[in-house]
Amino acid sequence: MPYVLSLVLLGLGLLLLLFLVIRMFAALRRFRAMQRRVVEDLDDRSGLLKARMAGVRVALAERRHGSV
């Protein structure tokens, strides 16, 4: 009889462990998706900043050559 109780507790413990592992992987999947979105947003913003800087350089070069 004590073995039955031990097996039941072991089974419950394994079920709880399985439940927690599944939740952890779901949270990890959401975190990775959010991380990808943040990286894409930063890439977009840095690209826009580079384009603006290039535009400023072109405007300054035109202004220098136009005033000479």
Side-chain angles (χ1 to χ4, degrees):
M1 196 61 147
Y3 297 114
V4 174
L5 181 59
S6 297
L7 290 175
V8 168
L9 288 176
L10 179 65
L12 288 175
L14 288 175
L15 285 175
L16 178 63
L17 180 64
L18 181 65
F19 174 73
L20 292 175
V21 167
I22 290 171
R23 284 189 54 142
M24 182 190 68
F25 279 119
L28 185 61
R29 191 178 322 122
R30 285 192 305 269
F31 176 76
R32 285 182 179 164
M34 184 59 67
Q35 186 181 22
R36 272 185 245 120
R37 282 188 233 143
V38 168
V39 168
E40 289 172 3
D41 186 52
L42 286 174
D43 286 343
D44 288 346
R45 289 174 184 258
S46 67
L48 290 173
L49 183 60
K50 288 177 187 177
R52 285 182 182 177
M53 291 303 297
V56 168
R57 279 189 225 109
V58 168
L60 288 174
E62 286 177 354
R63 189 169 175 159
R64 278 190 215 126
H65 292 297
S67 64
V68 173

Coordinates of all heavy atoms in Angstrom, one line a residue:
M1 N 0.8 -1.2 0.0 CA 0.0 0.0 0.0 C 0.8 1.3 0.0 O 0.5 2.2 -0.7 CB -0.9 0.0 1.2 CG -2.1 1.0 1.1 SD -3.0 0.6 -0.4 CE -4.6 1.1 0.2
P2 N 2.0 1.4 0.7 CA 2.8 2.6 0.7 C 3.3 2.8 -0.7 O 3.6 4.0 -1.1 CB 3.9 2.4 1.7 CG 3.6 1.1 2.4 CD 2.5 0.4 1.7
Y3 N 3.5 1.7 -1.5 CA 4.0 1.9 -2.8 C 3.1 2.6 -3.7 O 3.4 3.4 -4.6 CB 4.4 0.6 -3.4 CG 5.6 -0.1 -2.7 CD1 5.3 -1.3 -2.0 CD2 6.8 0.5 -2.6 CE1 6.4 -1.9 -1.3 CE2 7.9 -0.2 -1.9 CZ 7.6 -1.4 -1.3 OH 8.6 -2.0 -0.6
V4 N 1.8 2.4 -3.5 CA 0.7 3.0 -4.3 C 0.8 4.5 -4.1 O 0.7 5.3 -5.1 CB -0.6 2.4 -4.0 CG1 -1.7 3.2 -4.8 CG2 -0.7 0.9 -4.4
L5 N 0.8 4.9 -2.9 CA 0.9 6.4 -2.5 C 2.1 7.0 -3.2 O 2.1 8.1 -3.7 CB 0.9 6.6 -1.0 CG 0.9 8.0 -0.6 CD1 -0.3 8.8 -1.1 CD2 0.9 8.1 0.9
S6 N 3.3 6.3 -3.1 CA 4.5 6.9 -3.7 C 4.4 7.0 -5.2 O 4.8 8.0 -5.8 CB 5.7 5.9 -3.4 OG 5.9 5.9 -2.0
L7 N 3.7 6.0 -5.8 CA 3.6 6.1 -7.3 C 2.6 7.2 -7.7 O 2.8 7.9 -8.7 CB 3.1 4.7 -7.8 CG 4.1 3.6 -7.8 CD1 3.4 2.3 -8.2 CD2 5.3 3.9 -8.6
V8 N 1.6 7.4 -6.9 CA 0.6 8.5 -7.2 C 1.3 9.8 -7.0 O 1.1 10.7 -7.9 CB -0.6 8.4 -6.2 CG1 -1.5 9.6 -6.3 CG2 -1.4 7.1 -6.6
L9 N 2.1 10.0 -6.0 CA 2.8 11.3 -5.8 C 3.8 11.5 -6.9 O 4.0 12.6 -7.4 CB 3.5 11.3 -4.4 CG 2.5 11.5 -3.2 CD1 3.3 11.4 -1.9 CD2 1.8 12.8 -3.3
L10 N 4.5 10.4 -7.3 CA 5.5 10.5 -8.4 C 4.8 10.9 -9.7 O 5.2 11.8 -10.4 CB 6.2 9.2 -8.6 CG 7.2 9.1 -9.7 CD1 8.4 10.1 -9.4 CD2 7.7 7.7 -9.9
G11 N 3.6 10.3 -9.9 CA 2.8 10.7 -11.1 C 2.4 12.1 -11.1 O 2.5 12.8 -12.1
L12 N 1.9 12.6 -10.0 CA 1.5 14.0 -9.9 C 2.7 14.9 -10.0 O 2.5 15.9 -10.7 CB 0.8 14.2 -8.5 CG -0.6 13.6 -8.3 CD1 -1.1 13.8 -6.9 CD2 -1.5 14.2 -9.3
G13 N 3.8 14.5 -9.5 CA 5.0 15.4 -9.6 C 5.4 15.5 -11.1 O 5.8 16.5 -11.6
L14 N 5.4 14.3 -11.8 CA 5.7 14.3 -13.2 C 4.8 15.2 -14.0 O 5.2 15.9 -15.0 CB 5.8 12.9 -13.7 CG 7.0 12.1 -13.2 CD1 6.9 10.7 -13.7 CD2 8.3 12.7 -13.7
L15 N 3.5 15.1 -13.7 CA 2.5 15.9 -14.4 C 2.7 17.4 -14.2 O 2.6 18.2 -15.1 CB 1.1 15.5 -14.0 CG 0.5 14.2 -14.6 CD1 -0.8 13.9 -14.0 CD2 0.4 14.3 -16.1
L16 N 3.0 17.7 -13.0 CA 3.3 19.1 -12.6 C 4.5 19.6 -13.4 O 4.6 20.7 -13.9 CB 3.5 19.3 -11.1 CG 3.8 20.7 -10.7 CD1 2.7 21.7 -11.0 CD2 4.1 20.7 -9.2
L17 N 5.6 18.8 -13.4 CA 6.8 19.1 -14.1 C 6.5 19.3 -15.6 O 7.0 20.3 -16.2 CB 7.8 18.0 -13.9 CG 9.2 18.3 -14.6 CD1 9.9 19.5 -14.0 CD2 10.1 17.0 -14.4
L18 N 5.8 18.4 -16.2 CA 5.4 18.5 -17.6 C 4.6 19.8 -17.9 O 4.9 20.5 -18.9 CB 4.6 17.3 -18.0 CG 4.2 17.2 -19.5 CD1 5.4 17.1 -20.4 CD2 3.2 16.1 -19.7
F19 N 3.7 20.1 -17.0 CA 2.9 21.3 -17.2 C 3.8 22.6 -17.2 O 3.7 23.5 -18.0 CB 1.9 21.4 -16.1 CG 1.1 22.7 -16.0 CD1 0.1 23.0 -17.0 CD2 1.3 23.6 -15.0 CE1 -0.6 24.2 -17.0 CE2 0.6 24.8 -15.0 CZ -0.3 25.1 -16.0
L20 N 4.7 22.6 -16.2 CA 5.6 23.8 -16.1 C 6.6 23.9 -17.3 O 6.9 25.0 -17.7 CB 6.4 23.7 -14.8 CG 5.6 23.8 -13.5 CD1 6.4 23.6 -12.3 CD2 4.9 25.2 -13.5
V21 N 7.1 22.8 -17.8 CA 7.9 22.8 -18.9 C 7.2 23.3 -20.2 O 7.7 24.1 -20.9 CB 8.5 21.4 -19.2 CG1 9.2 21.3 -20.5 CG2 9.5 21.0 -18.1
I22 N 6.0 22.9 -20.3 CA 5.2 23.4 -21.5 C 4.9 24.9 -21.4 O 5.1 25.6 -22.4 CB 3.8 22.6 -21.6 CG1 4.1 21.1 -22.0 CG2 2.9 23.3 -22.5 CD1 2.9 20.2 -21.9
R23 N 4.6 25.3 -20.2 CA 4.4 26.8 -20.0 C 5.7 27.6 -20.3 O 5.7 28.6 -20.8 CB 3.9 27.1 -18.6 CG 2.5 26.7 -18.5 CD 1.9 27.2 -17.2 NE 2.2 28.7 -17.0 CZ 1.4 29.5 -16.5 NH1 0.2 29.1 -16.0 NH2 1.7 30.8 -16.4
M24 N 6.9 27.0 -19.8 CA 8.1 27.7 -20.0 C 8.4 27.8 -21.5 O 8.9 28.8 -22.0 CB 9.3 26.9 -19.3 CG 10.6 27.6 -19.5 SD 12.0 26.6 -18.9 CE 12.0 25.3 -20.1
F25 N 8.2 26.7 -22.3 CA 8.5 26.8 -23.7 C 7.5 27.8 -24.4 O 8.0 28.5 -25.4 CB 8.4 25.4 -24.4 CG 9.7 24.6 -24.2 CD1 9.6 23.4 -23.5 CD2 10.9 25.0 -24.6 CE1 10.7 22.7 -23.3 CE2 12.0 24.3 -24.5 CZ 12.0 23.1 -23.8
A26 N 6.3 27.9 -24.0 CA 5.4 28.8 -24.6 C 5.9 30.3 -24.3 O 5.8 31.1 -25.2 CB 4.0 28.6 -24.0
A27 N 6.3 30.5 -23.1 CA 6.8 31.9 -22.7 C 8.1 32.2 -23.5 O 8.3 33.3 -24.0 CB 7.1 31.9 -21.2
L28 N 8.9 31.2 -23.7 CA 10.2 31.4 -24.5 C 9.8 31.7 -25.9 O 10.5 32.5 -26.5 CB 11.0 30.1 -24.3 CG 12.4 30.2 -25.0 CD1 13.2 31.3 -24.3 CD2 13.1 28.8 -24.8
R29 N 8.8 31.0 -26.5 CA 8.5 31.3 -27.8 C 8.0 32.7 -28.0 O 8.3 33.4 -29.0 CB 7.4 30.3 -28.3 CG 7.1 30.3 -29.7 CD 6.1 29.3 -30.2 NE 6.1 28.0 -29.5 CZ 5.1 27.5 -28.8 NH1 4.0 28.2 -28.7 NH2 5.3 26.4 -28.2
R30 N 7.1 33.2 -27.0 CA 6.6 34.6 -27.1 C 7.8 35.6 -26.9 O 7.8 36.6 -27.6 CB 5.6 34.8 -26.0 CG 4.3 34.2 -26.3 CD 3.2 34.7 -25.3 NE 3.6 34.5 -23.9 CZ 3.3 33.4 -23.2 NH1 2.6 32.4 -23.7 NH2 3.6 33.3 -21.9
F31 N 8.8 35.2 -26.1 CA 9.9 36.1 -25.9 C 10.7 36.2 -27.2 O 11.1 37.3 -27.5 CB 10.8 35.6 -24.7 CG 12.0 36.4 -24.5 CD1 12.0 37.6 -23.9 CD2 13.2 35.9 -25.0 CE1 13.1 38.4 -23.7 CE2 14.4 36.6 -24.8 CZ 14.4 37.9 -24.2
R32 N 10.9 35.1 -27.8 CA 11.7 35.2 -29.1 C 11.0 35.9 -30.1 O 11.7 36.6 -30.9 CB 12.0 33.7 -29.5 CG 13.1 33.1 -28.7 CD 13.4 31.7 -29.2 NE 14.4 31.0 -28.4 CZ 14.7 29.8 -28.5 NH1 14.0 29.0 -29.2 NH2 15.7 29.3 -27.7
A33 N 9.7 35.8 -30.2 CA 9.0 36.6 -31.2 C 9.1 38.1 -31.0 O 9.3 38.9 -31.9 CB 7.5 36.1 -31.2
M34 N 9.0 38.4 -29.7 CA 9.1 39.9 -29.3 C 10.5 40.3 -29.6 O 10.7 41.5 -30.1 CB 8.7 40.1 -27.9 CG 8.8 41.5 -27.4 SD 7.6 42.6 -28.3 CE 6.1 41.9 -27.8
Q35 N 11.5 39.5 -29.3 CA 12.9 39.9 -29.6 C 13.1 40.1 -31.1 O 13.8 41.1 -31.5 CB 13.8 38.8 -29.1 CG 15.3 39.1 -29.2 CD 16.1 38.0 -28.7 OE1 15.7 36.8 -28.7 NE2 17.3 38.3 -28.3
R36 N 12.5 39.3 -31.9 CA 12.7 39.5 -33.4 C 12.0 40.8 -33.8 O 12.6 41.5 -34.7 CB 12.0 38.3 -34.1 CG 12.9 37.1 -34.4 CD 12.3 36.1 -35.2 NE 12.2 34.9 -34.4 CZ 11.0 34.3 -34.0 NH1 9.9 34.7 -34.5 NH2 11.0 33.3 -33.2
R37 N 10.9 41.1 -33.3 CA 10.2 42.4 -33.6 C 11.0 43.6 -33.2 O 11.1 44.5 -33.9 CB 8.8 42.4 -33.0 CG 7.8 41.6 -33.7 CD 6.4 41.8 -33.1 NE 5.9 40.5 -32.8 CZ 5.1 40.2 -31.8 NH1 4.8 41.2 -30.9 NH2 4.7 39.0 -31.5
V38 N 11.6 43.5 -32.0 CA 12.5 44.6 -31.6 C 13.7 44.8 -32.5 O 14.0 45.9 -32.9 CB 12.9 44.4 -30.1 CG1 14.0 45.4 -29.7 CG2 11.7 44.5 -29.2
V39 N 14.3 43.7 -32.9 CA 15.5 43.8 -33.7 C 15.1 44.4 -35.1 O 15.8 45.2 -35.6 CB 16.2 42.4 -33.9 CG1 17.2 42.4 -35.0 CG2 16.8 42.0 -32.6
E40 N 14.0 43.9 -35.6 CA 13.5 44.5 -36.9 C 13.2 46.0 -36.8 O 13.6 46.7 -37.7 CB 12.3 43.7 -37.4 CG 12.5 42.3 -37.8 CD 11.2 41.6 -38.1 OE1 10.1 42.2 -38.0 OE2 11.3 40.4 -38.4
D41 N 12.6 46.4 -35.7 CA 12.3 47.8 -35.5 C 13.6 48.6 -35.4 O 13.7 49.7 -36.0 CB 11.5 48.0 -34.3 CG 11.0 49.4 -34.1 OD1 10.4 50.0 -35.1 OD2 11.2 50.0 -33.0
L42 N 14.6 48.1 -34.7 CA 15.8 48.8 -34.6 C 16.5 48.9 -35.9 O 17.1 49.9 -36.3 CB 16.7 48.2 -33.5 CG 16.3 48.4 -32.1 CD1 17.2 47.6 -31.2 CD2 16.4 49.8 -31.7
D43 N 16.5 47.8 -36.7 CA 17.1 47.9 -38.0 C 16.4 48.9 -38.9 O 17.1 49.6 -39.6 CB 17.0 46.5 -38.7 CG 18.0 45.5 -38.1 OD1 18.9 45.9 -37.4 OD2 17.8 44.3 -38.3
D44 N 15.1 49.0 -38.9 CA 14.4 50.0 -39.7 C 14.8 51.4 -39.2 O 15.0 52.2 -40.1 CB 12.9 49.8 -39.5 CG 12.4 48.5 -40.2 OD1 13.1 48.0 -41.0 OD2 11.2 48.1 -39.9
R45 N 14.8 51.6 -37.9 CA 15.1 52.9 -37.5 C 16.6 53.3 -37.8 O 16.8 54.5 -38.1 CB 14.9 53.0 -36.0 CG 13.4 53.0 -35.6 CD 13.2 53.0 -34.1 NE 11.8 52.8 -33.7 CZ 11.1 53.8 -33.3 NH1 11.6 55.0 -33.2 NH2 9.9 53.7 -33.0
S46 N 17.5 52.4 -37.7 CA 18.9 52.7 -38.0 C 19.0 53.0 -39.5 O 19.8 53.9 -39.9 CB 19.8 51.6 -37.6 OG 19.6 50.5 -38.3
G47 N 18.2 52.3 -40.3 CA 18.3 52.5 -41.8 C 17.7 53.9 -42.1 O 18.3 54.6 -42.9
L48 N 16.7 54.3 -41.4 CA 16.1 55.7 -41.6 C 17.1 56.7 -41.2 O 17.3 57.8 -41.9 CB 14.8 55.8 -40.9 CG 13.6 55.0 -41.4 CD1 12.4 55.2 -40.5 CD2 13.2 55.5 -42.8
L49 N 17.8 56.5 -40.1 CA 18.8 57.4 -39.6 C 20.0 57.6 -40.6 O 20.5 58.7 -40.9 CB 19.3 57.0 -38.3 CG 20.3 57.9 -37.6 CD1 19.7 59.3 -37.4 CD2 20.8 57.4 -36.3
K50 N 20.4 56.4 -41.2 CA 21.5 56.5 -42.2 C 21.0 57.2 -43.4 O 21.8 58.0 -44.0 CB 21.9 55.0 -42.6 CG 22.7 54.3 -41.5 CD 23.0 52.9 -41.9 CE 23.6 52.1 -40.8 NZ 23.8 50.7 -41.1
A51 N 19.8 57.0 -43.8 CA 19.3 57.8 -45.0 C 19.2 59.3 -44.7 O 19.6 60.1 -45.6 CB 17.9 57.2 -45.4
R52 N 18.8 59.6 -43.5 CA 18.8 61.1 -43.2 C 20.2 61.7 -43.2 O 20.4 62.8 -43.7 CB 18.1 61.3 -41.8 CG 16.7 61.1 -41.9 CD 16.1 61.4 -40.5 NE 14.6 61.1 -40.5 CZ 13.8 61.2 -39.5 NH1 14.4 61.6 -38.3 NH2 12.6 61.0 -39.6
M53 N 21.1 60.9 -42.6 CA 22.5 61.4 -42.6 C 23.1 61.6 -44.0 O 23.8 62.6 -44.3 CB 23.4 60.5 -41.8 CG 23.1 60.5 -40.3 SD 23.2 62.2 -39.5 CE 24.9 62.5 -39.8
A54 N 22.7 60.7 -44.9 CA 23.2 60.8 -46.3 C 22.6 62.0 -46.9 O 23.2 62.7 -47.7 CB 22.8 59.5 -47.0
G55 N 21.3 62.2 -46.6 CA 20.6 63.4 -47.2 C 21.3 64.7 -46.7 O 21.5 65.7 -47.5
V56 N 21.7 64.7 -45.4 CA 22.3 65.9 -44.9 C 23.7 66.1 -45.6 O 24.0 67.3 -45.9 CB 22.5 65.8 -43.3 CG1 23.4 66.9 -42.8 CG2 21.1 65.9 -42.7
R57 N 24.4 65.0 -45.8 CA 25.7 65.2 -46.4 C 25.6 65.7 -47.9 O 26.3 66.5 -48.3 CB 26.4 63.8 -46.5 CG 27.1 63.5 -45.2 CD 28.0 62.2 -45.3 NE 27.8 61.4 -44.1 CZ 27.1 60.3 -44.1 NH1 26.7 59.7 -45.2 NH2 26.9 59.6 -43.0
V58 N 24.6 65.2 -48.6 CA 24.3 65.7 -49.9 C 24.0 67.1 -49.9 O 24.5 67.9 -50.7 CB 23.2 64.8 -50.6 CG1 22.8 65.5 -51.9 CG2 23.7 63.4 -50.9
A59 N 23.1 67.5 -49.0 CA 22.7 68.9 -48.9 C 23.9 69.8 -48.6 O 24.0 70.9 -49.2 CB 21.6 69.1 -47.9
L60 N 24.7 69.4 -47.7 CA 25.9 70.2 -47.3 C 26.9 70.3 -48.5 O 27.4 71.4 -48.8 CB 26.6 69.6 -46.1 CG 25.9 69.8 -44.8 CD1 26.6 69.1 -43.7 CD2 25.8 71.3 -44.4
A61 N 27.0 69.2 -49.2 CA 27.9 69.2 -50.4 C 27.4 70.1 -51.5 O 28.1 70.9 -52.1 CB 28.1 67.8 -50.9
E62 N 26.1 70.1 -51.7 CA 25.5 71.0 -52.7 C 25.6 72.4 -52.3 O 25.9 73.3 -53.1 CB 24.0 70.6 -52.9 CG 23.7 69.4 -53.6 CD 22.3 69.0 -53.7 OE1 21.4 69.7 -53.1 OE2 21.9 68.1 -54.4
R63 N 25.5 72.7 -51.0 CA 25.6 74.1 -50.5 C 27.0 74.6 -50.7 O 27.2 75.8 -51.1 CB 25.1 74.1 -49.1 CG 25.0 75.5 -48.6 CD 24.3 75.5 -47.2 NE 24.4 76.9 -46.8 CZ 23.6 77.4 -45.9 NH1 22.7 76.6 -45.3 NH2 23.6 78.6 -45.5
R64 N 28.0 73.7 -50.4 CA 29.4 74.2 -50.5 C 29.7 74.5 -52.0 O 30.4 75.5 -52.3 CB 30.3 73.1 -50.0 CG 30.5 73.1 -48.6 CD 31.6 72.1 -48.1 NE 31.2 71.5 -46.9 CZ 31.1 70.2 -46.6 NH1 31.5 69.4 -47.5 NH2 30.7 69.8 -45.4
H65 N 29.3 73.6 -52.9 CA 29.6 73.8 -54.3 C 28.8 74.9 -54.9 O 29.2 75.6 -55.9 CB 29.4 72.5 -55.1 CG 30.4 71.4 -54.7 ND1 31.7 71.5 -54.9 CD2 30.2 70.2 -54.1 CE1 32.3 70.4 -54.5 NE2 31.4 69.6 -53.9
G66 N 27.6 75.2 -54.4 CA 26.8 76.2 -54.9 C 27.2 77.6 -54.5 O 27.1 78.6 -55.3
S67 N 27.9 77.8 -53.4 CA 28.3 79.1 -52.9 C 29.7 79.5 -53.5 O 30.1 80.6 -53.3 CB 28.3 79.1 -51.4 OG 29.3 78.2 -50.9
V68 N 30.4 78.6 -54.1 CA 31.7 78.9 -54.6 C 31.7 79.6 -55.9 O 31.0 79.9 -56.6 CB 32.6 77.6 -54.7 CG1 33.9 77.9 -55.4 CG2 32.8 77.0 -53.4

